[in-house]
Amino acid sequence: PVLAKKSVRPDRYAAWTEKRLVFDGTPLPEVAQVLEDNFGLKVTIDNPALLTKTLSGEISLENEDILLQALRDLYGIRITREGDRLQFR
């Protein structure tokens, strides 16, 4: 095994204790996984062009609507919701 020294930003790892999400060039499929893991939603990405989009910034973990609105505003994503299922187009 190879050991390597790596610097980390502790604020990223402690963000969950303050009920916030921190994204740093996070690919949209990973953001979708965060929605699934934290809010119990099932996300489908229908537009292949969205798979290459990334997100950076901090957002409250208390309300998924804030994150969904940010995705709409940043990337013009059309998001449809039926119960716990989201579709990104």
Side-chain angles (χ1 to χ4, degrees), residues 11-23 34 38-39 57-64 66-67:
D11 59 318
R12 282 193 206 153
Y13 297 98
W16 67 272
T17 64
E18 299 170 4
K19 296 185 179 179
R20 59 188 172 92
L21 298 169
V22 178
F23 299 104
V34 167
N38 290 283
F39 300 106
E58 294 184 22
I59 207 148
S60 171
L61 183 58
E62 295 189 25
N63 187 338
E64 75 268 17
I66 296 168
L67 177 54

Side-chain angles (χ1 to χ4, degrees), residues 1-88:
V2 177
L3 298 177
K5 188 175 182 179
K6 181 179 177 183
S7 64
V8 296
R9 291 186 43 201
D11 59 318
R12 282 193 206 153
Y13 297 98
W16 67 272
T17 64
E18 299 170 4
K19 296 185 179 179
R20 59 188 172 92
L21 298 169
V22 178
F23 299 104
D24 186 14
T26 306
L28 192 58
E30 287 183 34
V31 174
Q33 187 64 51
V34 167
L35 285 164
E36 292 182 4
D37 294 344
N38 290 283
F39 300 106
L41 301 169
K42 176 64 180 150
V43 180
T44 305
I45 301 174
D46 289 339
N47 182 346
L50 296 176
L51 297 174
T52 62
K53 301 293 184 191
T54 60
L55 182 64
S56 294
E58 294 184 22
I59 207 148
S60 171
L61 183 58
E62 295 189 25
N63 187 338
E64 75 268 17
D65 291 329
I66 296 168
L67 177 54
L68 296 176
Q69 189 60 50
L71 293 172
R72 285 184 190 102
D73 293 346
L74 287 170
Y75 302 116
I77 297 174
R78 289 185 343 181
I79 300 173
T80 56
R81 184 174 192 164
E82 292 182 22
D84 64 349
R85 302 179 85 63
L86 297 177
Q87 197 169 33
F88 290 4

